[in-house]
Amino acid sequence: MSASVIVGIDGSEPSRRAVDFALSLAESQGVGLVVAHVIPWSPYSFNTPTENEERGERKQQELRAATTQIIEPAVEVASGRACEVTPVVRHGDPVDTLVELAGDFSATAIVVGRTGDSRVKRALFGSIPGHLVHESTIPVTVVP
């Protein structure tokens, strides 16, 4: 598989700026762009038997909603640009999934927008960009 730049998006304004930056980076490197959205999903969450029965359908509904509401607008921004764009939506831990995608697509860089988490939440749990910088073996750019 040819090299790519991975951009992780969540539909926020910083992630829109991250798409613009990642497009320019991919074009300058002559590589493709993978536009990825990760829906946080814990296999360890407590569910009732009824919720477990509905879990598969709920995951499919979330994938469809993320594709139309988050991925397709980002891909539209990239239309007409000089790099191939690959859309990806997955469930999982955002940091682990973006690092895994970077390996799958032989990525040269990961680009994300700065999240809008509160200071208290960041202090308690950290931020996705912060964790990504620690976990990734390739350059990570955080776009404000």
Side-chain angles (χ1 to χ4, degrees):
M1 182 166 294
S2 62
S4 298
V5 169
I6 306 287
V7 59
I9 63 172
D10 62 3
S12 67
E13 185 57 33
S15 76
R16 287 186 197 99
R17 290 191 296 270
V19 170
D20 289 337
F21 181 85
L23 272 167
S24 296
L25 182 62
E27 288 173 333
S28 71
Q29 294 181 357
V31 299
L33 178 67
V34 176
V35 178
H37 176 69
V38 181
I39 302 167
W41 190 270
S42 172
Y44 306 109
S45 61
F46 175 77
N47 291 315
T48 65
T50 302
E51 289 171 329
N52 283 336
E53 290 174 14
E54 299 168 350
R55 193 172 189 174
E57 179 56 32
R58 278 192 2 241
K59 287 177 83 172
Q60 293 304 314
Q61 289 172 348
E62 289 176 349
L63 291 172
R64 287 191 294 272
T67 298
T68 59
Q69 296 171 22
I70 297 172
I71 292 293
E72 289 178 353
V75 171
E76 179 68 26
V77 168
S79 66
R81 300 287 293 260
C83 68
E84 181 180 340
V85 176
T86 303
V88 175
V89 179
R90 292 205 181 148
H91 282 97
D93 176 84
V95 172
D96 292 344
T97 303
L98 290 174
V99 169
E100 180 181 301
L101 286 171
D104 292 347
F105 287 91
S106 302
T108 58
I110 300 173
V111 178
V112 293
R114 184 178 64 206
T115 60
D117 293 340
S118 71
R119 289 181 183 206
V120 172
K121 186 176 176 184
R122 279 194 315 259
L124 291 174
F125 304 110
S127 68
I128 289 173
H131 288 288
L132 197 53
V133 167
H134 287 283
E135 297 297 325
S136 177
T137 58
I138 61 174
V140 175
T141 301
V142 181
V143 177

